[in-house]
Amino acid sequence: MLDVRSKGEFEGGALPKAVNISIGDDAFDSKVLTLDKDKPVLFYCAGGFRSRKAVAKLKELGFQNINHIHRGYMSWKPDSQS
């Protein structure tokens, strides 16, 4: 599970066991290329926009089993439900 938000957003709260690789990082491509392209990948950001960009980028890089949380971390975060 990859969190593509900024480091500051990630440090403010994240899904359990998520790894942070910011879509805004200049080294995003090289960092995700260290992942196994054959394993499923789940992306999320705050609201869904950046994770959709990450999905498109990973498709370009040859990943096949890609998903994202459509409404992002804010839709999952427990205190966002109140």
Side-chain angles (χ1 to χ4, degrees):
M1 183 175 339
L2 292 176
D3 183 321
V4 297
R5 299 176 300 158
S6 70
K7 181 179 178 184
E9 289 173 297
F10 181 76
E11 290 172 349
L15 295 176
K17 299 185 181 182
V19 173
N20 181 231
I21 302 177
S22 175
I23 189 75
D25 186 336
D26 290 337
F28 179 81
D29 290 8
S30 62
K31 288 179 180 180
V32 296
L33 284 172
T34 65
L35 305 173
D36 185 344
K37 291 182 180 182
D38 296 324
K39 290 189 176 180
V41 181
L42 174 66
F43 286 98
Y44 72 91
C45 61
F49 178 74
R50 289 174 285 183
S51 64
R52 283 190 293 275
K53 286 177 57 176
V55 166
K57 176 54 90 174
L58 262 70
K59 284 182 180 178
E60 289 176 17
L61 295 172
F63 286 77
Q64 300 295 318
N65 194 351
I66 309 166
N67 294 286
H68 74 105
I69 299 175
H70 295 278
R71 292 192 178 107
Y73 178 71
M74 298 311 290
S75 69
W76 176 87
K77 188 177 169 187
D79 61 352
S80 68
Q81 304 294 320
S82 51

